[in-house]
Amino acid sequence: MAAQTATTEVLRALNALYQGTSAEEREQANSWLQQFQRTTEAWGTADAILGSDAGIEAKVFAAQTLRAKIMADFSELGAEGASSLRDALVEQLRTGAARPVVTQLVLGLADMAVQLEDWADPMSDVVTALGDTANGMSVVVEFVAVLPEEALNERIAMDNAAWSRRTEALLGQRGGDVAALLARCLGTAELREARARVLGCLASWVRHGDMTLAQVQGAGLAEQALAGLQGNADEAEAAADAVCALIWETRADNDDDAETAAVKDTLVQQLAQGLAASETQHAVAESESWRVLAEAGEAWVGRIVADAARFAGVVQGLVECMRHGEREAVAMTFTFWDELADRVLETASCDPARRALSGVYAGLVDAAAAQLRYPDDTMTAEERDIFREFRHGVGDVLKASVRVCGAGTALGRAYALAAQPDALWQDAEAALFAVRAMGAEIPPDEEEVMPQVMDLLPRLPPHPRLRYAATLVIARYTEWTRSHAQYVPFQLDFIAAGMSDADVAAASAQALKFLCMDCAPLLATHWRDLLHVFGAARDDDAVDVAVALAHVAAAAPDAAAAIEAFSVPLGSELGTLVQGALDNAACSRAALLLDRLGAFLRYVDAPDSAADLVARIVADAWPLAHALLHRVPADTHVSESASKFVRVLVEFYSSALRGVVPQVCDAVAVAFEQTGLDVYLWLARRIVAVAPSLAVDETAALQLAATLMDRLSAAALPRFEHSFSEAPDTTEEFFRLLQRALEQAPSIVAATPTFPAVFRAAIAALTVNSLHAQLAVLRAWVQMLAPARRHIRLRLDHTRASPDAYPLPTIVSLCAENGFELARALLLGLLGAFDREVSPEAADALASLAAVAADGPNVVSGQSDALPSSAICDWAAAILPDIPDSRMPPREKHLFASQLAELVQARMWPRLKTMLLDTAAACWRRSRALEL
């Protein structure tokens, strides 16, 4: 494509991208531009656009393209081309450009400086070229600021040795020069508008460790950064970044020498005094001041405990932030208060700092309670979620307060707030939340405040929010109630009354569950009263109530009667439903009954006296679940509830179910064959996981599990005929089942008729475009191949014998038949198609395949002394040309093939996995660099 033609085509595509009238037109333009960026013509075309009178959008694209090419394809330029482009970029910056263009050009120039080793002193050269004007000096500062960041840019395609040399040349021993440059800029009136950029540069160099605190102090930059907190919004934000970076570097370190420690102490004192004086600054900088204070608190927590008086201004500032700050600012302090509490508790109880900070934490309770208050304005659903999460963070601060100032003091303050006469409901509710939040730190024998709290609850105004909060207080303190049995009747009545209130029912069900779990012996004689609560519970709360009653029934003196009274009516109603017409309403009711009965059976720890009764209940319940699975396997409610119910039976009542295990497996297989619902694959996985316990003969049980896997495979594979991506959930569940089956019974599963087809399908499944499904498929591959690799190693080591129960010949044979297709899917996926999160599993599977291909055939045929086969190398040689050069240049392909051959011959499979991961990371960085 001629240069002028290419420029015209790019401008036309950009016009379509930004001005196109249809989504399809814009998508086509975007795709074309992305492909164009990967060509060598993109260099010249982008440079030409920058030098033309094209619009801002075109020039931004051109600058982005040059930066992307510099990161990913710098080697295409050669030494002469690189020098020419460097001079062109500097000239573009010197003549001036729009801010978005300048930003991209500066980043590109920095990326070039990182890679162009022939460029001896980029910083000085850029200062000389651009530093003669205020605008030019502003660009210089921006360039200097991004150098440390771009030196760590993982998207730059560069080997580690070259990177180490270059970063030392660029950044080593240059902190003093940069500090002097920044001090000069901050003292120049013409650069007043660039102060935010200068302070940002300071933050960058300090944060990356390329400028020492002594250099900062010598140039007077700390004072300038503190002064910047008083500036406009941009300057205050940049100043806060710089001060935070300085504070972080002042953390005490046991490895500090005397000189470094002295510099840190001096700077800490300077910063602490400056921050204490910042309380009067104007509102624009207030949020930045809170951020700096939070950073100071975390960095100096040890110093604060050692000398609380010296840092009283910082601590008090953080208390004021908790009291008056916006939620985002308050959240920044959460870590500090927790870490400070840990340090305080390490000191002696008579330590003056501990006494002083105990008072701080006592006052913090009031400030935290104010932050817990519901706003007067209504909130959206999203705002409620954010507020709920924020409240839990404040709750952690309250726990820290209890640890430092004591349960009585902290609880007493919260109780006083809740008990204020005529308090608004928001204030009382916030105080109750505070009481609940402290629960984890309140001992069960607390006698000073908790009785007052419990006495207060029934006297609260009848507001639904207050009733809800009070109910959750009861739920949180059930362990305390266990030691204070006199409150059980009141709490039970309070909870039961709330069950009929739609606003409080969910909290009441939760409170009942915890009360019954922790206080079951105290409620054992009340189980008949709880039957009425059970019957009155809303459908949404029925499972929590069933769990609650399971604990009480097991603890009842007449446990068998209690268990029968709770469970038999459920079974009877379920039996009646099963015998009738199963319309939608009947199915929904049946599902609810299964959920209740399943939860009850899951948590009832029946005593020996009731063991036979529970076994009969289980024996009677299975036919009902079986009937539902047989009659309405496709019903959404029934399929989910019946599967969860059967899971309870097989996991917790395996001995009672042994006589019908074949029937259970058959029912699950038939249900999936008829419906294809994922939940039946999930249930099958749970059955396979506990298979050894489902029969007296473990081999017979594993054979049943393998047969179930075989039937499900025969039913599932046709459903994947078109595309695994069309059924990602089914794909995920199927391969999670396969992984578990291979863990439990590899030889039996590998001998099933469908296993070869499953093996081939697992190759095709590597194209699935869902992360979780992709991960499930790859983990199944690891389960197939990694044990084979280990067993091959055992055979190669003649001093140890490989167990005969592993199907090594089958796996080796299938890999020999399908190895190229599998290697291709794994390698192409690892180097581009897979989600980056699954790279470890993909590399593990491919390294294991390499081991199987190299030694498997020889080991199986008894030739353990033979040299490794080069099959994987031959496959890779045929696959590598299909990887685009823009993702993996020819030089890297050659290096990859060479390293692969070397590692295969040395049988260094762990190192091969590492090499695969490194290669994948390099390809990912190159791909990211070329993104628009």
Side-chain angles (χ1 to χ4, degrees):
M1 187 186 298
Q4 185 59 43
T5 303
T7 302
T8 302
E9 289 296 321
V10 169
L11 293 176
R12 182 181 295 115
L14 286 169
N15 184 67
L17 178 64
Y18 294 113
Q19 308 296 330
T21 58
S22 69
E24 182 180 0
E25 181 183 9
R26 292 192 294 272
E27 179 60 33
Q28 289 178 350
N30 185 53
S31 178
W32 187 90
L33 289 168
Q34 287 180 330
Q35 292 300 319
F36 180 78
Q37 282 187 310
R38 290 171 167 79
T39 66
T40 55
E41 292 176 286
W43 294 106
T45 302
D47 187 42
I49 291 174
L50 286 172
S52 71
D53 58 357
I56 180 65
E57 292 169 340
K59 290 194 173 185
V60 169
F61 170 79
Q64 288 175 331
T65 298
L66 285 178
R67 189 202 174 198
K69 296 289 287 182
I70 289 169
M71 286 191 292
D73 300 319
F74 189 65
S75 60
E76 292 178 356
L77 287 173
E80 184 177 348
S83 298
S84 176
L85 179 59
R86 175 197 60 195
D87 297 342
L89 292 179
V90 171
E91 180 62 20
Q92 285 286 343
L93 292 169
R94 190 184 67 78
T95 57
R99 170 50 50 191
V101 178
V102 168
T103 298
Q104 292 299 318
L105 292 178
V106 165
L107 289 169
L109 191 62
D111 294 333
M112 179 175 286
V114 172
Q115 298 178 79
L116 186 55
E117 295 193 68
D118 291 340
W119 194 359
D121 192 354
M123 198 180 306
S124 297
D125 291 348
V126 171
V127 171
T128 300
L130 304 176
D132 54 350
T133 66
N135 287 337
M137 185 55 73
S138 178
V139 174
V140 168
V141 170
E142 188 171 357
F143 172 77
V144 174
V146 300
L147 269 181
E149 298 166 4
E150 294 307 299
L152 298 176
N153 186 349
E154 64 175 9
R155 295 162 66 184
I156 293 177
M158 193 175 187
D159 66 72
N160 290 335
W163 173 82
S164 297
R165 291 193 304 272
R166 195 55 184 158
T167 52
E168 176 60 28
L170 282 175
L171 307 176
Q173 309 303 317
R174 299 304 300 268
D177 297 336
V178 174
L181 173 67
L182 299 183
R184 190 164 65 250
C185 291
L186 290 170
T188 302
E190 291 81 0
L191 289 172
R192 176 68 191 177
E193 296 300 319
R195 283 181 63 86
R197 194 163 294 124
V198 177
L199 291 169
C201 183
L202 170 62
S204 176
W205 276 73
V206 172
R207 186 168 55 246
H208 289 89
D210 299 311
M211 184 185 294
T212 67
L213 294 180
Q215 291 166 342
V216 171
Q217 201 168 24
L221 293 175
E223 298 94 322
Q224 293 282 7
L226 286 168
L229 292 172
Q230 306 282 354
N232 60 37
D234 290 341
E235 183 178 346
E237 181 179 1
D241 288 340
V243 175
C244 285
L246 291 171
I247 289 171
W248 184 253
E249 291 300 318
T250 60
R251 290 169 302 148
D253 191 324
N254 292 332
D255 294 331
D256 287 342
D257 55 32
E259 181 179 356
T260 302
V263 170
K264 285 186 177 181
D265 285 341
T266 302
L267 192 55
V268 166
Q269 184 66 28
Q270 180 183 4
L271 292 170
Q273 291 174 351
L275 294 177
S278 70
E279 295 180 21
T280 59
Q281 55 203 320
H282 54 80
V284 170
E286 187 176 70
S287 62
E288 301 301 340
S289 295
W290 299 139
R291 175 160 68 96
V292 173
L293 282 169
E295 186 74 31
E298 288 186 44
W300 300 340
V301 65
R303 298 174 188 268
I304 292 171
V305 174
D307 192 352
R310 181 184 176 193
F311 295 94
V314 172
V315 175
Q316 190 55 42
L318 288 166
V319 173
E320 289 304 306
C321 176
M322 177 64 74
R323 192 182 308 277
H324 300 297
E326 296 293 329
R327 288 176 198 155
E328 184 177 354
V330 170
M332 296 177 190
T333 71
F334 291 163
T335 301
F336 163 71
W337 293 118
D338 189 57
E339 292 183 355
L340 180 62
D342 289 340
R343 292 295 188 92
V344 168
L345 293 175
E346 292 173 359
T347 64
S349 58
C350 60
D351 189 283
R354 182 163 185 168
R355 291 198 299 270
L357 291 170
S358 292
V360 169
Y361 274 97
L364 192 62
V365 173
D366 296 343
Q371 287 290 345
L372 293 170
R373 189 182 190 277
Y374 264 93
D376 295 327
D377 300 331
T378 58
M379 293 185 290
T380 65
E382 181 180 1
E383 288 171 339
R384 280 196 299 272
D385 290 341
I386 294 172
F387 182 56
R388 188 179 299 114
E389 183 178 354
F390 170 76
R391 282 183 131 201
H392 288 300
V394 176
D396 290 338
V397 174
L398 290 166
K399 292 183 185 72
S401 298
V402 175
R403 289 158 54 206
V404 175
C405 69
T409 300
L411 263 180
R413 284 181 172 261
Y415 166 74
L417 294 172
Q420 286 180 347
D422 302 322
L424 295 175
W425 75 262
Q426 290 96 330
D427 297 317
E429 191 277 340
L432 290 174
F433 185 95
V435 171
R436 176 161 69 98
M438 296 176 187
E441 300 295 336
I442 305 300
D445 60 353
E446 205 286 324
E447 302 286 353
E448 180 183 353
V449 182
M450 277 310 302
Q452 298 179 63
V453 172
M454 289 300 171
D455 292 339
L456 172 67
L457 298 184
R459 303 199 309 267
L460 291 169
H463 191 285
R465 289 279 189 184
L466 290 178
R467 182 87 184 193
Y468 185 91
T471 303
L472 291 180
V473 168
I474 292 174
R476 186 62 190 82
Y477 284 90
T478 51
E479 291 185 13
W480 181 88
T481 302
R482 184 169 56 203
S483 301
H484 300 79
Q486 67 270 28
Y487 288 100
V488 168
F490 140 68
Q491 292 185 4
L492 192 58
D493 291 341
F494 193 90
I495 291 169
M499 295 294 294
S500 59
D501 185 338
D503 293 325
V504 189
S508 298
Q510 185 180 10
L512 182 64
K513 180 175 70 173
F514 290 124
L515 185 65
C516 292
M517 288 172 61
D518 290 329
C519 305
L522 304 179
L523 292 164
T525 58
H526 294 270
W527 67 263
R528 288 183 175 85
D529 299 329
L530 292 175
L531 282 175
H532 301 293
V533 179
F534 193 34
R538 300 183 315 161
D539 291 352
D540 291 343
D541 306 317
V543 172
D544 276 345
V545 176
V547 172
L549 301 187
H551 292 282
V552 174
D558 46 349
I563 292 171
E564 186 173 20
F566 286 134
S567 58
V568 170
L570 296 176
S572 298
E573 184 181 353
L574 188 60
T576 301
L577 286 172
V578 168
Q579 293 172 5
L582 289 174
D583 55 16
N584 289 338
C587 285
S588 296
R589 181 62 182 171
L592 178 63
L593 293 170
L594 284 172
D595 288 340
R596 286 185 171 187
L597 184 57
F600 184 84
L601 292 173
R602 163 68 178 83
Y603 290 98
V604 65
D605 186 11
D608 293 341
S609 60
D612 290 341
L613 170 65
V614 173
R616 288 198 304 272
I617 292 171
V618 170
D620 292 340
W622 159 245
L624 301 178
H626 187 195
L628 288 170
L629 289 173
H630 175 69
R631 292 184 59 189
V632 284
D635 182 84
T636 303
H637 301 294
V638 168
S639 61
E640 294 284 342
S641 298
S643 294
K644 288 188 291 184
F645 182 76
V646 175
R647 174 240 171 161
V648 169
L649 299 187
V650 298
E651 290 187 357
F652 296 95
Y653 299 96
S654 57
S655 59
L657 211 64
R658 283 175 179 169
V660 294
V661 169
Q663 190 181 58
V664 172
C665 293
D666 180 70
V668 174
V670 169
F672 181 75
E673 289 165 353
Q674 293 178 350
T675 67
L677 293 178
D678 311 334
V679 69
Y680 296 121
L681 297 175
W682 170 85
L683 176 56
R685 175 162 53 87
R686 308 305 294 230
I687 293 172
V688 169
V690 297
S693 67
L694 293 176
V696 176
D697 183 353
E698 182 176 327
T699 302
L702 293 176
Q703 184 63 57
L704 280 173
T707 301
L708 175 60
M709 180 73 229
D710 186 53
R711 287 186 61 180
L712 293 174
S713 298
L717 294 185
R719 297 178 184 275
F720 299 133
E721 185 174 352
H722 296 293
S723 170
F724 285 91
S725 295
E726 292 178 3
D729 294 338
T730 305
T731 301
E732 178 185 354
E733 287 297 346
F734 178 79
F735 284 99
R736 291 182 71 185
L737 168 61
L738 176 62
Q739 178 190 0
R740 183 54 58 90
L742 288 168
E743 288 175 358
Q744 290 282 37
S747 291
I748 302 175
V749 171
T752 58
T754 59
F755 187 71
V758 169
F759 190 97
R760 290 187 291 272
I763 299 174
L766 290 168
T767 60
V768 68
N769 57 14
S770 163
L771 169 61
H772 295 295
Q774 219 171 70
L775 192 58
V777 176
L778 285 166
R779 285 176 175 170
W781 273 117
V782 171
Q783 188 59 45
M784 276 192 275
L785 299 175
R789 184 176 85 187
R790 291 193 294 271
H791 281 274
I792 289 171
R793 172 59 64 185
L794 290 174
R795 299 278 186 92
L796 292 174
D797 184 351
H798 297 293
T799 62
R800 290 177 291 175
S802 171
D804 295 330
Y806 185 77
L808 185 61
T810 301
I811 299 298
V812 169
S813 175
L814 289 169
C815 286
E817 295 173 14
N818 307 278
F820 174 74
E821 291 79 7
L822 177 55
R824 178 181 177 82
L826 288 171
L827 187 56
L828 293 181
L830 184 62
L831 301 186
F834 292 157
D835 190 289
R836 198 183 183 199
E837 289 186 33
V838 306
S839 294
E841 286 78 8
D844 197 354
L846 188 51
S848 296
L849 174 63
V852 173
D855 290 311
N858 292 330
V859 165
V860 169
S861 63
Q863 302 176 33
S864 299
D865 295 329
L867 293 174
S869 166
S870 62
I872 190 70
C873 302
D874 298 336
W875 296 340
I879 297 165
L880 288 173
D882 294 336
I883 300 173
D885 290 347
S886 59
R887 180 177 291 274
M888 191 177 190
R891 179 176 57 84
E892 291 195 17
K893 292 178 183 178
H894 177 75
L895 178 62
F896 177 88
S898 174
Q899 290 177 332
L900 176 64
E902 179 182 340
L903 294 172
V904 167
Q905 289 304 308
R907 296 189 174 101
M908 302 178 74
W909 311 123
R911 283 189 59 185
L912 174 57
K913 178 182 176 180
T914 301
M915 187 269 280
L916 292 169
L917 287 172
D918 291 343
T919 303
C923 290
W924 179 84
R925 288 195 297 268
R926 188 171 291 103
S927 178
R928 282 284 308 277
L930 289 172
E931 292 176 358
L932 266 176

